[in-house]
Amino acid sequence: MQSATALQTDNFVPLEAILCTEELQRRPSRPPDYATENRALVALAQALAESPETILQKLADTILEIFQVHSAGLSLLTQDGTRFYWPAIAGAWKPHIGGGTQRDFGPCGDVLDRNAPLLFKRFERRYPYLLEAAPAAEEALLLPFYVHGKAVGTIWAMAHDHRRQFDAEDLRQMESLGRFASAAYQAVHLQDSRRAALNLMEDAVLSRQMVEKLNRESRESERRFRQMIDALPVAIYTTDAEGRLTHFNPAAVELSGRVPELGTDRWCVTCQLYHPDGTPMPHEECPMAIALKEDRAAHGMEAIAERPDGKRIWFEPYPTPLHDADGRLSGGINMLVDITERKRSEDQLRSLNQDLQHFVYAASHDLQQPLRMVTSYTQLLARRYKGKIDERAESYIAFAVEGAQRMETLLRDLRDYWSLNKETEREPVPTDCNEVLEEALSVLALPTQETGGSVTHDPLPTVTAERITLTMLFQNLVGNALKYGRPDQPPRIHVSAERSGRDWIFSVRDNGIGIEPEYLKEIFAPFKRLHGSEPGGSGLGLAICKKVVDRYGGKIWAESEYGRGAAFRFTIPA
Ligand code: ADP
């Protein structure tokens, strides 16, 4: 080390330029890690008992290890108070043991002057003689080291590259280690050994009180944790690494139907377990056993538990392994959510749905045959007796025919609507929409002719879909456009498609009566009709369209200015 006089101070960067102590409090910090700190204290206490003369080196080694820094060490003032020397260093700076800095022109002196911890950033910018102590210190955290309340040196940790940045928790832990180390140092090195022993005892008492306080705090937090668990309305239990129960809450007792035995009973051993398909689940394969065996949280499973009283419960387990401070598996915690009610209502819903499906099937198929008979016989009546019966009788027959036809439409639409459920889904195939539209138009030939309507279209794309459902879609939209035309002009309908990102947007535009804005959304609901008593509608057409589009993950909507036509648009993924 070159000697440097106080005069040099003026020629180098100011002290403030190499300090970033305040930033320490602003940096994001780790949460307090008492477990690591306690381990370090115990290691130091052991070193003190076994080889007091190396206690300072042990301190340097411990700092290096637990703070994961590149260098760590101690600086102590020389007898004459002019310099600091380095009695113990660990890490990259270890070769500099025995070196030191000047009292009045160096980082250790700054710490003593301010009597406070300081964080330095590349301090050789101000103290160039430290350039000799390679590698350079990117950041160095220095704390005063006290003996009998007097600062006689510093303890320090260094990072030699910018990736290791110190935070408030580093400072807290270093202060704690520093307190212990100074007590140890006094015990070992001071002349007045009796006094030192007394001091050490005092400090040991203090440390013990501190440890007890920590223990109390951890017991308290454990107590609060358990209180919280006990108050939760879901079954929760904890186990050791072998799966033996260490805690369970009242909800767990209620779910399993028995008070388990702590320390003996293992996981869900109280109950006989089954897989959702009804096959027995051996206890060694229960979700908690797997979580402990494979050391992983296992979620998204369902199982059935048969309690000692024979009651069966569906549950969803959430087993999670727990680890100690070293990352070793120390046990597990499991939460069992009772899903019996949900399963029951799902079952009910399923069977209700099936009933409804059967009913609709019966209505739409079985009723069709007798209805066809009613239709054909009333038509026959109308033909046979035309002119032979009075006008009133003829109009009665006409009403009957019309009613039967409406009912037929309704049944057909109902069947179409209910046919669009999950079970009927088939593999979609490339489908040419030009062909599909032609097909729909051929079905609509009669109403087109009757209304004098005309349908034009741009070239349409090929999409991946089920042909039959697309036909339904076009048939309903074009059919509506023909049906809801204006009385003063024949329907003009245009079908087009444009690409928008990953979708095709189709549009069926007409020049009909249009839709009032407040109804634009409602009309897609089943049985929603607007214009009152138009003939030939079931109120299901647009609901069918929506179901078809939903099936492909698309959207359907209507745009219209009332009285000026409507456009129905829908998207199909390209
Ligand atoms: P409906 O069997 O009554 O046609 P839809 O579900 O097909 O049933 O249509 C619902 C309602 O939406 C119709 O009653 C009608 O009032 C309105 N609507 C549907 N398409 C059009 C259209 N192109 N122009 C004007 N109104 C329409």
Side-chain angles (χ1 to χ4, degrees):
M1 299 299 122
Q2 300 290 315
S3 70
T5 65
L7 286 174
Q8 279 176 295
T9 316
D10 302 324
N11 302 333
F12 297 104
V13 298
L15 178 59
E16 294 315 318
I18 61 164
L19 286 183
C20 51
T21 320
E22 274 166 24
E23 196 188 312
L24 203 61
Q25 301 301 336
R26 288 196 300 271
R27 287 181 183 169
S29 176
R30 295 169 291 141
D33 182 1
Y34 295 118
T36 309
E37 186 186 334
N38 285 348
R39 263 204 329 281
L41 288 173
V42 169
L44 282 178
Q46 239 163 14
L48 182 61
E50 285 161 13
S51 58
E53 57 292 347
T54 60
I55 185 72
L56 295 184
Q57 185 57 42
K58 182 73 192 169
L59 177 68
D61 292 341
T62 308
I63 294 175
L64 189 83
E65 187 200 305
I66 76 161
F67 293 97
Q68 302 270 299
V69 288
H70 305 118
S71 297
L74 250 108
S75 303
L76 291 176
L77 271 178
T78 51
Q79 286 286 328
D80 62 6
T82 57
R83 289 179 56 78
F84 288 97
Y85 75 102
W86 299 331
I89 301 180
W93 267 31
K94 193 161 182 158
H96 303 304
I97 285 182
T101 52
Q102 298 159 31
R103 165 64 184 85
D104 289 324
F105 190 56
C108 293
D110 296 329
V111 170
L112 255 55
D113 289 346
R114 300 204 173 189
N115 195 22
L118 295 178
L119 181 64
F120 294 87
K121 200 157 193 70
R122 288 194 283 110
F123 48 35
E124 76 287 346
R125 285 179 293 160
R126 178 171 165 83
Y127 307 121
Y129 65 90
L130 280 170
L131 277 171
E132 282 174 33
E138 186 65 28
E139 277 198 358
L141 180 59
L142 277 70
L143 281 75
F145 182 67
Y146 298 101
V147 171
H148 293 318
K150 189 165 174 277
V152 296
T154 63
I155 54 173
W156 44 263
M158 267 181 212
H160 297 310
D161 73 46
H162 64 277
R163 276 170 303 193
R164 174 66 173 95
Q165 286 205 321
F166 291 98
D167 65 13
E169 171 61 4
D170 289 320
L171 177 62
R172 191 194 68 76
Q173 286 197 23
M174 255 178 59
E175 275 174 333
S176 162
L177 289 189
R179 267 195 303 275
F180 187 90
S182 76
Y185 181 80
Q186 289 162 52
V188 176
H189 290 277
L190 289 190
Q191 311 296 6
D192 187 351
S193 56
R194 217 174 60 83
R195 168 144 182 74
L198 265 173
N199 270 328
L200 184 62
M201 267 166 63
E202 264 172 33
D203 281 88
V205 169
L206 270 177
S207 307
R208 221 187 36 236
Q209 280 173 348
M210 200 175 83
V211 170
E212 269 172 16
K213 184 166 174 279
L214 281 175
N215 274 341
R216 262 202 313 280
E217 271 171 16
S218 92
R219 272 200 305 275
E220 172 63 12
S221 71
E222 186 166 329
R223 197 179 60 79
R224 255 184 263 137
F225 173 67
R226 292 195 168 185
Q227 240 176 11
M228 187 190 79
I229 284 187
D230 289 353
L232 283 177
V234 261
I236 296 181
Y237 65 81
T238 55
T239 70
D240 61 17
E242 278 73 48
R244 281 184 297 265
L245 286 184
T246 49
H247 185 72
F248 53 83
N249 69 354
V253 175
E254 201 174 311
L255 186 120
S256 60
R258 169 178 164 257
V259 180
E261 231 170 89
L262 281 187
T264 342
D265 278 351
R266 300 176 83 202
W267 36 70
C268 356
V269 87
T270 302
C271 300
Q272 173 61 54
L273 301 179
Y274 297 92
H275 290 285
D277 66 3
T279 53
M281 181 191 284
H283 281 116
E284 299 299 319
E285 284 169 28
C286 77
M288 182 63 152
I290 291 174
L292 291 178
K293 202 156 54 188
E294 297 178 10
D295 195 0
R296 65 181 171 94
H299 297 161
M301 292 174 291
E302 289 178 351
I304 303 162
E306 192 178 81
R307 310 192 328 180
D309 61 6
K311 194 172 162 194
R312 281 190 164 217
I313 287 161
W314 274 87
F315 68 95
E316 218 173 88
Y318 289 85
T320 309
L322 299 174
H323 301 96
D324 64 16
D326 297 327
R328 273 189 301 262
L329 183 76
S330 62
I333 180 163
N334 197 1
M335 189 165 84
L336 307 175
V337 181
D338 186 341
I339 55 168
T340 316
E341 268 313 305
R342 197 186 80 197
K343 282 282 163 192
R344 196 170 296 147
S345 45
E346 272 173 14
D347 278 353
Q348 273 172 355
L349 203 66
R350 206 173 301 125
S351 83
L352 211 67
N353 217 356
Q354 267 167 3
D355 286 353
L356 201 61
Q357 296 252 0
H358 285 151
F359 173 75
V360 172
Y361 184 85
S364 55
H365 287 81
D366 303 0
L367 284 183
Q368 208 144 34
Q369 195 51 31
L371 184 64
R372 220 166 275 146
M373 265 173 56
V374 174
T375 321
S376 41
Y377 277 105
T378 38
Q379 280 168 341
L380 200 66
L381 262 180
R383 273 207 307 278
R384 269 284 168 80
Y385 295 96
K386 195 168 169 61
K388 293 187 191 131
I389 46 176
D390 65 16
E391 244 175 59
R392 186 177 287 187
E394 270 186 18
S395 73
Y396 289 165
I397 294 177
F399 285 144
V401 172
E402 197 194 303
Q405 278 169 344
R406 285 179 82 152
M407 198 156 159
E408 228 174 321
T409 315
L410 180 65
L411 288 186
R412 190 202 56 223
D413 285 355
L414 259 182
R415 207 179 52 224
D416 283 352
Y417 186 75
W418 281 98
S419 72
L420 289 167
N421 55 37
K422 269 252 161 284
E423 287 88 69
T424 62
E425 248 171 59
R426 259 173 257 128
E427 188 66 27
V429 291
T431 307
D432 181 348
C433 292
N434 299 291
E435 289 172 15
V436 170
L437 179 64
E438 290 308 327
E439 230 166 83
L441 293 184
S442 71
V443 179
L444 294 168
L446 190 63
T448 312
Q449 200 190 345
E450 278 172 0
T451 55
S454 63
V455 184
T456 53
H457 70 91
D458 292 347
L460 300 177
T462 294
V463 295
T464 310
E466 297 162 282
R467 193 182 187 90
I468 172 116
T469 58
L470 278 195
T471 316
M472 276 183 197
L473 186 57
F474 281 118
Q475 199 176 313
N476 276 297
L477 292 180
V478 177
N480 277 350
L482 290 169
K483 213 159 45 174
Y484 301 105
R486 279 213 298 261
D488 55 335
Q489 45 179 287
R492 295 275 167 270
I493 301 156
H494 187 70
V495 182
S496 60
E498 59 178 305
R499 185 67 184 260
S500 165
R502 293 192 295 166
D503 292 323
W504 283 105
I505 305 181
F506 288 82
S507 154
V508 179
R509 181 180 295 278
D510 64 46
N511 62 339
I513 54 175
I515 302 158
E516 285 170 88
E518 63 262 43
Y519 299 119
L520 284 174
K521 286 212 175 79
E522 284 182 28
I523 48 176
F524 294 96
F527 304 114
K528 187 74 198 177
R529 311 194 65 200
L530 298 185
H531 304 104
S533 54
E534 296 87 355
S538 64
L540 278 172
L542 290 178
I544 291 173
C545 294
K546 182 163 170 9
K547 255 195 159 179
V548 169
V549 174
D550 281 351
R551 219 163 148 112
Y552 299 117
K555 277 199 291 258
I556 184 166
W557 69 100
E559 293 165 5
S560 171
E561 252 180 77
Y562 191 49
R564 309 190 57 183
F568 282 82
R569 293 159 146 274
F570 61 89
T571 63
I572 300 272

